């Protein structure tokens, strides 16, 4: 598939700050519900959401090709790429068509804070992988101190589990502290109550652009042609519930109460300049899992934490997507290798993406090293091992280009008391 990359020198007639997530080189897609209008596919540019249904109605997009634009349905990857190219043409600084039509322009441009952004695609299925090797190895050290940090299968297959699609929420949705069974090491029996170890997991995710019937597989070569683009994913977790329930079948209620996705689908076209080889794989994967080309992306990741008492959030983690052991293509090839059917809009998350050093860990479990080393919130002097009610976790991600960044917007959620 040929990808449409906007030149680094290109500019829009709309002003875009250098540190904006949304220059003309990005043009990610979201789903908005601006007040008084209907649901519409939008594109982020600077501080604005460009309403594509308004453009379509006004005849600025090919009306036969893009008639409705009230959801992503029917917008497979090829069509999304065509649509992005058409939007690029309208926003490019030398094109007067939209720039000089005040009426259509003002109707189509919605300030980001008024866009009321939704989950871009409510997924039919949600898979969560475990491809961050430093996270997997840290968790191994904490949960199984007397064994090697990685289990023997880790470097042979991308570990994952089927998550819960019904609790995938838009950024800004409050996350209710879950109740569940927990059992202390010395307790005779478990108890039922609110988790005491509420956590976040810094992950990235991708949406599928097409489905297929049972018996088919997606190869690593074709995998990226099946992806609409990437989002940030916060896989909220309850560590005390997880520890008690996860063996032998894996996580269940400790993970299924809430997952937050960022509002913008950043296309692989926009991320093309940020491809990297990624980490070497040893042992070499089996043939069906072999990577091709540069399968990883250099995308900086951040987690910001703000308690109810704080005025400004504090940076608690700085990581990078290059910390993944398994590429996105390998994840999809593996998940479909048994012939399971998949559907348009299925969501896949990578697993927690921690770095190797202190300050690069993508969960409170690691940042506080299982609660043994609390982190201090400098503004108020508060301590944190796990998350308290009222804490807001905001994840950010961007690839840094020459004079511009391709960003994802905030993936944010606040912990609400158990009910
Ligand atoms: Mn996870």
């Amino acid at each position: 598939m040929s990808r449409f990359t906007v030149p680094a020198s290109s500019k829009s007639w709309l002003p875009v700050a250098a540190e904006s997530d949304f220059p003309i080189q990005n043009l990610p897609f979201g789903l908005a519900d601006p007040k008084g209008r209907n649901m519409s596919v939008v594109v982020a540019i600077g501080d604005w959401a460009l309403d594509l249904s308004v453009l379509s109605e006004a005849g600025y997009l090919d009306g036969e090709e893009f008639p409705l634009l009230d959801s992503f349905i029917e917008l497979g990857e090829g069509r999304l790429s065509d649509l992005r190219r058409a939007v690029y043409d309208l926003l490019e600084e030398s094109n007067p068509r939209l720039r000089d039509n005040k009426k259509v322009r003002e109707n189509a441009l919605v300030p980001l804070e008024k866009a009321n952004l939704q989950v871009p695609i409510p997924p039919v299925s949600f898979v969560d992988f475990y491809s961050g090797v430093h996270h997997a190895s840290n968790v191994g050290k904490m949960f199984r101190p007397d064994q090697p940090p990685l289990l023997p299968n880790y470097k042979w297959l991308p570990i994952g589990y089927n998550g819960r699609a019904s609790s995938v929420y838009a950024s800004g949705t409050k996350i209710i502290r879950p109740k569940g069974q927990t059992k202390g090491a010395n307790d005779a029996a478990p108890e039922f109550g609110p988790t005491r170890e509420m956590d976040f997991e810094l992950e990235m995710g991708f949406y599928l652009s097409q489905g297929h019937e049972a018996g088919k597989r997606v190869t690593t070569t074709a995998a990226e042609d099946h992806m609409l683009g990437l989002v940030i994913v916060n896989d909220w977790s309850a560590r005390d519930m997880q520890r008690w329930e996860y063996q032998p079948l894996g996580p269940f209620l400790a993970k299924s109460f809430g997952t937050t996705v960022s509002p913008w689908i950043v296309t692989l076209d926009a991320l093309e300049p940020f491809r990297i080889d990624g980490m070497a794989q040893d042992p070499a994967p089996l043939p069906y899992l072999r990577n091709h080309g540069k399968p990883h992306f250099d995308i900086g990741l951040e987690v910001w934490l703000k308690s109810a008492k704080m005025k400004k959030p504090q940076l608690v983690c700085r990581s990078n997507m290059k910390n993944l052991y398994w590429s996105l293509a390998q994840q999809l090839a593996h998940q479909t290798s048994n012939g399971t059917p998949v559907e348009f809009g299925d969501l896949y998350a990578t697993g927690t993406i921690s770095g190797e050093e202190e300050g690069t860990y993508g969960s409170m479990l690691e940042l506080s090293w299982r609660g043994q080393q609390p982190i201090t919130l400098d503004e108020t002097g508060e301590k944190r091992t796990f998350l308290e009610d009222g804490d807001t976790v905001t994840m950010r991600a961007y690839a840094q280009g020459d004079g511009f960044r391709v960003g994802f917007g905030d993936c944010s959620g606040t912990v609400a008391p158990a009910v």
Side-chain angles (χ1 to χ4, degrees):
M1 164 163 311
S2 74
R3 300 209 173 269
F4 174 57
T5 308
V6 176
S9 58
S10 193
K11 284 194 168 58
S12 172
W13 43 263
L14 272 164
V16 179
E19 68 277 13
S20 170
D21 276 351
F22 310 121
I24 198 166
Q25 285 78 13
N26 190 351
L27 304 178
F29 291 88
L31 187 67
D33 185 16
K35 208 178 170 197
R37 291 190 190 169
N38 295 324
M39 212 66 94
S40 178
V41 173
V42 290
V43 167
I45 176 79
D47 297 326
W48 307 87
L50 184 65
D51 188 328
L52 299 193
S53 61
V54 171
L55 292 188
S56 182
E57 226 165 87
Y60 279 71
L61 300 167
D62 180 344
E64 270 175 43
E65 181 75 353
F66 305 111
L68 285 174
L69 297 172
D70 58 351
S71 79
F72 284 86
I73 293 171
E74 306 299 319
L75 284 175
E77 198 213 7
R79 300 189 65 236
L80 203 69
S81 194
D82 291 346
L83 187 56
R84 182 169 168 274
R85 191 186 282 253
V87 170
Y88 166 76
D89 285 339
L90 289 171
L91 289 172
E92 200 275 322
E93 64 179 347
S94 67
N95 187 343
R97 210 171 152 218
L98 179 61
R99 184 189 71 196
D100 296 349
N101 187 329
K102 189 163 182 273
K103 191 169 165 233
V104 176
R105 189 187 68 217
E106 287 185 348
N107 201 18
L109 286 171
V110 180
L112 279 181
E113 66 273 14
K114 291 190 178 156
N116 190 18
L117 294 161
Q118 312 287 307
V119 173
I121 305 172
V124 175
S125 296
F126 165 46
V127 169
D128 191 29
F129 283 99
Y130 197 52
S131 294
V133 65
H134 307 306
H135 170 76
S137 136
N138 284 337
V139 172
K141 283 178 205 164
M142 283 183 261
F143 281 27
R144 299 179 304 271
D146 46 352
Q147 291 170 44
L150 296 176
L151 291 169
N153 57 4
Y154 189 85
K155 292 193 169 179
W156 289 103
L157 53 84
I159 303 289
Y161 66 96
N162 289 301
R164 188 154 180 86
S166 70
S167 52
V168 171
Y169 297 121
S171 178
T173 306
K174 70 178 180 183
I175 302 296
I176 299 166
R177 179 180 294 273
K179 287 180 175 172
Q181 280 198 24
T182 59
K183 182 183 164 303
N186 301 317
D187 297 342
E191 59 175 26
F192 182 83
T195 174
R196 294 186 187 91
E197 297 186 7
M198 179 80 168
D199 203 351
F200 60 80
E201 288 194 333
L202 169 62
E203 310 196 10
M204 297 295 283
F206 62 88
Y207 274 109
L208 280 203
S209 60
Q210 52 184 293
H212 67 226
E213 67 212 45
K216 296 208 166 162
R217 300 184 299 158
V218 180
T219 63
T220 49
T221 321
E224 289 186 355
D225 296 341
H226 291 246
M227 297 176 195
L228 271 182
L230 273 55
V231 291
I232 307 171
V233 178
N234 182 350
D235 177 29
W236 301 90
S237 301
R239 299 300 177 192
D240 43 3
M241 290 163 56
Q242 182 182 353
R243 216 162 32 240
W244 172 232
E245 75 174 4
Y246 88 105
Q247 287 178 321
L249 281 185
F252 187 44
L253 302 180
K255 302 267 186 183
S256 60
F257 59 92
T259 304
T260 306
V261 292
S262 58
W264 300 103
I265 298 179
V266 176
T267 63
L268 295 187
D269 288 17
L271 294 170
E272 188 66 25
F274 307 101
R275 284 183 180 280
I276 51 171
D277 290 324
M279 65 177 76
Q281 293 187 302
D282 182 19
L286 297 175
Y288 84 100
L289 283 175
R290 292 216 174 123
N291 273 321
H292 303 273
K294 291 179 185 293
H296 287 273
F297 297 92
D298 181 3
I299 300 175
L301 310 173
E302 297 171 352
V303 183
W304 297 76
L305 179 57
K306 183 182 157 305
S307 74
K309 289 181 186 163
M310 290 163 72
K311 291 194 175 69
K312 283 184 179 171
Q314 177 171 327
L315 181 71
V316 294
C317 161
R318 194 189 289 279
S319 182
N320 190 294
M321 213 177 157
K322 70 183 177 193
N323 289 309
L324 288 176
Y325 187 82
W326 296 101
S327 69
L328 306 180
Q330 288 175 317
Q331 291 168 16
L332 182 56
H334 182 64
Q335 192 265 343
T336 59
S337 64
N338 67 349
T340 189
V342 293
E343 289 185 61
F344 168 88
D346 282 356
L347 176 66
Y348 295 75
T350 56
T352 310
I353 309 177
S354 295
E356 283 184 277
E357 308 94 41
E358 226 170 281
T360 67
Y361 296 157
S363 67
M364 291 301 293
L365 179 71
E366 295 161 274
L367 287 167
S368 72
W369 207 256
R370 205 182 177 175
Q372 292 161 7
Q373 296 165 23
I375 61 171
T376 303
L377 301 174
D378 298 327
E379 186 186 321
T380 55
E382 294 169 280
K383 304 271 187 202
R384 284 292 181 277
T385 50
F386 293 94
L387 299 171
E388 304 288 335
D389 292 344
D391 285 356
T392 299
V393 176
T394 301
M395 297 176 175
R396 310 204 69 228
Y398 61 86
Q400 185 62 54
D402 184 9
F404 66 93
R405 50 171 70 160
V406 171
F408 286 73
D410 289 359
C411 178
S412 193
T414 301
V415 180
V419 289

